[in-house]
Amino acid sequence: MTFVNPQFFWFMVIPLVIFTYLILTHRDNFLQIFDEEVLKRLSVGDDSLPLVWRNLLLILSIFFMIVAMGRPVIDHGDRVVQLEGLSAVVALDISGSMRSEDIYPNRLEFAKTKIITLFNEMRSDEIAVVGFAHSAFAIAPFSSDKETLKQMVKGVSDEYINMASTDFRALANFSAQLLKNRDTKILILFSDGGDRKDIAEFSKIIKEEKISLYVVLVGTKEGAPVLDAKGKPINYKGKIAITQRNDALGDVAIQSNGAFVIADTGEEGIKKLVEIIRANHKNKEQGEIIIHDREEYFYYPLALAVLFLLLGFSSLPRKKWLF
């Protein structure tokens, strides 16, 4: 057994030993460490425990506190831990059509809940989050910390929505840049679709960059009005603009050896998509870390310290003999 903080242990223990010796051998000539009147007030009721025993108990309590703060451990040495997992870019559509309310509460919020589900299913994987409309930008860099990623995604509000047309080419180029040095190039796209011409160009870039595309489609085929920032339907050429889900992105995913699902209220679709991703891509080693493996035992002396402290300040009942 060793101590993590041995210098602290010896720095505190040696003066304590000397101090204890002086108290026990020069009790009449040395100022008592614990005043009898103070102990009398701290104790409850009448007792028969002499002051010298109280001093010893409290000194023992201090000793075990020092041992606990020295952090006794059993050291098992260094251990190499391999970090394995997939690397993927998650892209969230923030174009104007994502305000539509054909799914509750709207397409954007619904897509965010699906992304959270994806994070729960890909706990060991390294993921970056991207937002895109007329341009693409990073919401979160590559990270395995899913709780932080969740907070970043939850922070994407209605204010992020851009009414400009969706530029899938910008997303493809930005994703290719992020995945440039990755062994696996995976793009998981959450969108309601887009213009067929833009999707065709998007497909071309995806193939050239050898990116595997997985798509989660949100919205309905019936569609819903496009809403402005105030929640009012937008008029286009005297008519209310209607946006419908475009499944053409699903075809692009299939052509890139990926897959797609249509998001529903359950979690099975996302779980199935993750199963397909894992089946298509073997986990690639992300690196290794060296950890110092040791068992902590500070809680044992700490428990003893608390026990002796309680005994030192407790009141012991007197024995009453009946004759």
Side-chain angles (χ1 to χ4, degrees):
M1 181 177 291
T2 59
F3 289 92
V4 176
N5 303 314
Q7 68 283 355
F8 177 85
F9 175 79
W10 292 114
F11 180 77
M12 298 298 294
V13 165
I14 293 175
L16 179 64
V17 171
I18 296 173
F19 198 52
T20 303
Y21 173 78
L22 291 175
I23 291 175
L24 296 178
T25 56
H26 301 81
R27 184 175 181 277
D28 296 333
N29 300 323
F30 198 86
L31 182 64
Q32 295 181 24
I33 182 172
F34 301 107
D35 185 78
E36 190 170 4
E37 184 63 27
V38 173
L39 291 172
K40 184 178 179 181
R41 293 182 180 181
L42 289 172
S43 61
V44 181
D46 194 14
D47 62 82
S48 58
L49 189 64
L51 180 61
V52 63
W53 286 103
R54 289 191 183 278
N55 285 346
L56 283 174
L57 286 171
L58 295 173
I59 289 171
L60 281 173
S61 176
I62 294 172
F63 170 76
F64 283 111
M65 286 183 187
I66 293 172
V67 173
M69 288 186 286
R71 286 183 64 190
V73 298
I74 293 180
D75 200 329
H76 298 294
D78 292 335
R79 184 160 59 93
V80 177
V81 177
Q82 299 291 340
L83 298 178
E84 295 184 350
L86 296 172
S87 295
V89 171
V90 170
L92 174 60
D93 190 343
I94 55 171
S95 60
S97 60
M98 295 296 284
R99 279 201 184 99
S100 296
E101 298 176 348
D102 50 351
I103 49 178
Y104 183 82
N106 59 41
R107 294 179 183 179
L108 176 64
E109 292 300 320
F110 189 80
K112 286 163 57 178
T113 62
K114 298 294 108 177
I115 292 176
I116 300 301
T117 302
L118 180 79
F119 290 162
N120 292 334
E121 296 299 317
M122 301 184 72
R123 293 186 178 276
S124 63
D125 302 303
E126 195 175 35
I127 294 175
V129 182
V130 170
F132 73 99
H134 73 287
S135 62
F137 62 94
I139 294 175
F142 280 104
S143 174
S144 300
D145 184 354
K146 299 306 185 298
E147 293 306 314
T148 299
L149 291 176
K150 288 178 185 179
Q151 293 302 317
M152 299 295 285
V153 170
K154 289 177 181 178
V156 178
S157 65
D158 182 78
E159 296 176 355
Y160 278 72
I161 290 180
N162 192 300
M163 297 306 296
S165 60
T166 307
D167 189 347
F168 283 94
R169 292 172 301 175
L171 171 63
N173 290 325
F174 189 66
S175 299
Q177 183 180 356
L178 291 175
L179 295 166
K180 183 178 180 180
N181 298 319
R182 301 284 166 170
D183 293 329
T184 55
K185 297 183 178 182
I186 300 172
L187 173 60
I188 306 173
L189 174 57
F190 290 76
S191 176
D192 55 4
D195 182 83
R196 286 190 174 274
K197 182 180 178 181
D198 290 336
I199 291 176
E201 294 180 4
F202 172 69
S203 176
K204 181 180 178 181
I205 299 173
I206 289 294
K207 289 179 180 179
E208 290 175 352
E209 298 293 338
K210 297 181 180 179
I211 295 174
S212 297
L213 178 65
Y214 298 87
V215 177
V216 179
L217 292 164
V218 296
T220 62
K221 292 295 289 185
E222 294 77 15
V226 179
L227 305 178
D228 62 17
K230 296 181 180 179
K232 296 181 179 180
I234 294 176
N235 288 315
Y236 179 72
K237 296 181 179 180
K239 295 182 180 180
I240 294 177
I242 301 295
T243 173
Q244 299 171 309
R245 188 187 76 228
N246 186 352
D247 294 348
L249 279 174
D251 297 332
V252 177
I254 298 298
Q255 293 168 10
S256 70
N257 297 320
F260 77 96
V261 295
I262 297 174
D264 54 24
T265 55
E267 297 182 353
E268 292 305 314
I270 299 297
K271 290 181 178 180
K272 182 63 177 178
L273 185 68
V274 173
E275 289 178 6
I276 295 172
I277 292 173
R278 296 204 182 284
N280 290 346
H281 307 276
K282 293 182 179 180
N283 284 354
K284 298 298 181 180
E285 191 173 294
Q286 294 178 353
E288 62 182 31
I289 59 172
I290 299 176
I291 63 171
H292 204 71
D293 188 11
R294 56 194 177 197
E295 294 180 57
E296 296 276 358
Y297 286 92
F298 70 90
Y299 33 84
Y300 292 113
L302 185 60
L304 287 173
V306 173
L307 175 63
F308 286 131
L309 187 65
L310 292 175
L311 289 174
F313 285 125
S314 64
S315 297
L316 300 177
R318 294 179 184 274
K319 290 184 178 180
K320 294 184 179 181
W321 302 95
L322 297 178
F323 297 95

